[in-house]
């Protein structure tokens, strides 16, 4: 290993440690005092409930841990969006668990909470995964009700999805372990099986205070909607649990009885670790997003035995297309080559840029993977499509559109790893969030933006200075530098991996060494859902 490798490794590991430090704070939810208060009430915390429910010594991945990060500060913040979402194994069955965190504003729903819950349901529906709800929520966060209540992708969509999943035969299990009020009361009752914890769980459309105000009836919450009421009188819930662990044990027993389902049939053989150590990724990746590196070195750290079979290796070299194995699963890889290459005509092509020949190659490869029923992995480190008269005259828009068409119409599951840059239309062509990847994750140093920070800052500064000039104000060099610095800092903050993860543009920021686990668990989940559509590119300009 050379000195530059060591420098890169140190800097990149430092970035990962910063992410891990932030995650440690996020996982404290509303703070240690509030967590302890839950325990004193006889409850487990949201994360304790999930840990108890999951099979011991089994793999799991958390979706949306950074949701809400540095958002809603004027309301006291909303760590992890006030809800914990994990994909893992319960009684040997892969499923997705959604647990309200009552330490965060009593589990109330902020706008990002609704978005995260819908994302969890989307994953369950796409992959036909059983979904388990651990309910402990005060309902909609009223100061922001206009941003969570009425729209298509707001609170009510949750119950619509409950009904849709039921019709699809997707298992839904709910345990009411705390408050479950107003519209939220429908969620557990629209599940296949619902249980409630005695004394701490309650379900009602309106609590005792609202009942008193609305109809003048005086009644306590336990009599109104406690466990005994709903298990013995209303019949709303199926089981009464004595405490949290009893409810979670019952869920485990239910999952033990679940029969097998039809599989998609993705190919898997014995798994072998890469010959190249995945930890080497930290030394391969440059610290500056503008520097070059060889993407083949990254692929060798991810795939089984560090072996792959490349498609059209001498054509369209700015995108690498190859079939390989990840944890035994057959995969097709579409990756941006990040070092300069020469095309067949001897012309130099910039790393991370999509050219016409590369887009054409990727389109054909994606079609082949769909024909062979091979899941697709996109390794994104892209600055966009090539610009300029030569590219425009060569039909870059047409070839780029073909690639976007292929990504859009692909019927095999897609998984996106943002390893570095994710800029502009390159984000789209390389299967950004808008193109329905089953999972999309970022490495700690990833940047997501419409264009690179330096270029964007210069454009925005020029616009601002032009506006000032129209007002008769000339900008000095010192003022120019100050404007540029202010814009750069603001823009750079918006491109950071944590900014994207906070808004659920990505599902997680992951340790690059965990990439294989995320891909493998993602394909295993996708294998629960047989492919029912046919790949069809539709009308394209050839």
């Amino acid at each position: 290993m050379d000195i530059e490798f060591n420098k890169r490794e140190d800097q990149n590991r430092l970035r990962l440690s910063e992410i891990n430090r932030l995650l440690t704070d996020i996982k404290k939810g509303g703070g240690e005092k509030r967590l302890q208060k839950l325990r004193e009430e006889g409850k487990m915390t949201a994360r304790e409930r999930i840990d108890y429910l999951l099979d011991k010594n089994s793999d799991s991945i958390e979706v949306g841990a950074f949701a809400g990060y540095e958002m809603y500060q004027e309301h006291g913040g909303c760590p992890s969006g006030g809800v914990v979402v994990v994909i893992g194994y319960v009684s040997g069955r892969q499923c997705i668990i959604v647990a309200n965190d009552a330490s965060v504003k009593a589990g109330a729903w902020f706008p990002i909470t609704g978005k995260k819950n819908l994302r969890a349901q989307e994953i369950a529906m796409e992959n036909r995964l059983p979904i388990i709800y651990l309910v402990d929520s005060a309902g909609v966060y009223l100061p922001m009700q206009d941003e969570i209540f009425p729209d298509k992708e707001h609170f009510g969509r949750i119950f619509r999805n409950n009904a849709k999943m039921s019709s699809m035969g997707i298992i839904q299990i709910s345990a009411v372990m705390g408050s479950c009020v107003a519209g939220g009361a429908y969620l557990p009752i629209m599940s296949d099986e619902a249980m409630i914890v005695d004394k701490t769980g309650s379900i009602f459309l309106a609590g005792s205070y609202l009942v008193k105000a609305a109809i003048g009836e005086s009644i306590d919450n336990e009599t109104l909607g406690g466990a005994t009421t709903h298990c013995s009188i209303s019949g709303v819930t199926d089981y009464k649990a004595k405490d949290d662990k009893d409810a979670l044990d019952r869920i485990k027993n239910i999952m033990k009885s679940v029969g097998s389902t039809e599989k998609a049939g993705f190919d898997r053989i014995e798994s072998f670790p890469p010959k190249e150590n995945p930890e080497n990724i930290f030394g391969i990746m440059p610290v500056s997003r503008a520097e070059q590196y060889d993407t083949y070195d990254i692929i060798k750290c991810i795939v089984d035995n560090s072996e792959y079979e490349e498609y059209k290796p001498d054509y369209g070299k700015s995108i690498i297309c190859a079939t390989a194995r990840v944890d035994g699963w057959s995969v097709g890889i579409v990756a941006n080559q990040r070092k300069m290459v020469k095309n067949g005509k001897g012309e130099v092509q910039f790393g991370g840029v999509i050219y016409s020949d590369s887009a054409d190659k990727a389109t054909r490869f994606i079609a082949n993977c769909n024909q062979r029923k091979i899941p697709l992995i996109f390794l994104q480190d892209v600055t966009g499509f090539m610009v300029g008269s030569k590219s425009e005259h060569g039909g870059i828009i047409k070839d780029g559109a073909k690639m976007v068409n292929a990504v859009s119409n692909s019927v095999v599951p897609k998984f996106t790893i943002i390893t570095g840059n994710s800029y502009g239309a390159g984000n789209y062509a390389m299967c950004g969030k808008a193109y329905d990847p089953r999972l999309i994750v970022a490495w700690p140093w990833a940047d997501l933006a419409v264009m690179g920070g330096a270029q964007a800052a210069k454009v925005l500064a020029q616009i601002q200075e032009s506006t000032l000039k129209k007002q008769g104000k000339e900008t000095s060099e010192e003022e120019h530098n100050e404007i540029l610095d202010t814009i750069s800092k603001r823009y750079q903050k918006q491109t950071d991996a944590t900014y994207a993860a906070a808004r659920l543009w990505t599902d997680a920021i992951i340790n690059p060494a965990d990439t294989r686990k995320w891909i493998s668990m993602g394909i295993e989940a996708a294998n629960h859902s047989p492919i029912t559509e046919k790949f069809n590119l539709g009308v394209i300009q050839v």
Side-chain angles (χ1 to χ4, degrees), residues 25-264:
D25 288 340
I26 286 168
K27 288 180 179 181
K28 294 176 183 176
E32 190 54 47
K33 286 185 178 179
R34 291 184 182 178
L35 293 173
Q36 187 56 36
K37 185 179 179 182
L38 293 176
R39 297 184 186 108
E40 290 169 358
E41 293 172 354
K43 295 181 178 182
M44 302 166 75
T45 68
R47 293 184 181 278
E48 288 169 350
R49 288 166 176 167
I50 292 175
D51 288 344
Y52 184 84
L53 189 57
L54 291 172
D55 294 347
K56 302 304 178 190
N57 302 316
S58 65
D59 283 336
S60 64
I61 51 179
E62 183 173 351
V63 175
F66 270 93
Y69 174 69
E70 292 190 334
M71 296 170 66
Y72 316 118
Q73 296 302 310
E74 67 277 21
H75 297 277
C78 187
S80 265
V83 62
V84 184
V85 174
V86 169
I87 300 173
Y89 302 87
V90 177
S91 299
R93 182 70 182 264
Q94 192 180 38
C95 57
I96 186 163
I97 305 167
V98 181
N100 299 114
D101 186 350
S103 74
V104 180
K105 289 285 193 295
W109 287 51
F110 284 70
I112 197 66
T113 316
K115 188 174 183 179
K116 186 170 175 179
N117 274 269
L118 289 171
R119 176 62 178 141
Q121 289 185 321
E122 180 182 44
I123 292 171
M125 294 168 80
E126 285 181 330
N127 300 290
R128 294 183 176 269
L129 280 183
I131 185 166
I132 298 168
Y133 306 100
L134 306 180
V135 184
D136 194 347
S137 172
V140 166
Y141 183 61
L142 290 178
M144 302 187 75
Q145 63 85 27
D146 61 320
E147 297 181 47
I148 181 61
F149 168 67
D151 211 346
K152 179 179 178 181
E153 298 298 330
H154 283 178
F155 193 78
R157 189 78 170 180
I158 301 291
F159 317 127
R160 175 264 187 193
N161 286 350
N162 287 143
K164 287 289 186 182
M165 281 190 280
S166 182
S167 70
M168 293 168 67
I170 297 171
I171 297 165
Q172 300 178 81
I173 303 170
S174 290
V176 178
M177 312 177 89
S179 296
C180 183
V181 300
Y186 289 106
L187 185 147
I189 314 313
M190 295 185 76
S191 300
D192 302 315
E193 302 202 44
M195 61 202 71
I196 185 169
V197 178
D198 195 23
K199 299 297 186 285
T200 57
S202 58
I203 307 172
F204 33 66
L205 295 180
S208 57
Y209 291 120
L210 186 53
V211 168
K212 177 70 173 176
I215 63 173
E217 180 184 2
S218 296
I219 190 170
D220 63 89
N221 282 337
E222 182 65 24
T223 306
L224 180 66
T228 299
T229 294
H230 286 310
C231 288
S232 302
I233 301 173
S234 72
V236 165
T237 48
D238 305 316
Y239 309 103
K240 178 166 68 173
K242 63 181 181 181
D243 55 25
D244 281 7
K245 287 187 177 180
D246 186 34
L248 298 171
D249 285 336
R250 189 174 290 276
I251 293 173
K252 292 180 183 182
N253 288 334
I254 292 171
M255 292 302 295
K256 284 178 185 176
S257 68
V258 173
S260 61
T261 57
E262 184 183 355
K263 296 290 189 285

Side-chain angles (χ1 to χ4, degrees), residues 5 7 27 39-40 50 72 77 92 128 163 175 199 226 259 279 297 311 368 370 376 378 445 448 455 482 489 507:
F5 182 99
K7 286 181 179 178
K27 288 180 179 181
R39 297 184 186 108
E40 290 169 358
I50 292 175
Y72 316 118
R128 294 183 176 269
K199 299 297 186 285
E279 298 288 341
D297 294 336
Y311 175 76
N368 286 352
N370 275 269
L376 286 161
F378 291 84
W445 43 79
L448 283 80
Q455 300 94 315
E482 186 176 333
K489 287 178 180 177
D507 290 317

Side-chain angles (χ1 to χ4, degrees), residues 529-541:
S529 181
I531 296 173
T532 57
E533 299 176 274
K534 288 187 177 180
F535 177 68
N536 188 336
L537 278 177
V539 177
I540 60 172
Q541 297 289 332

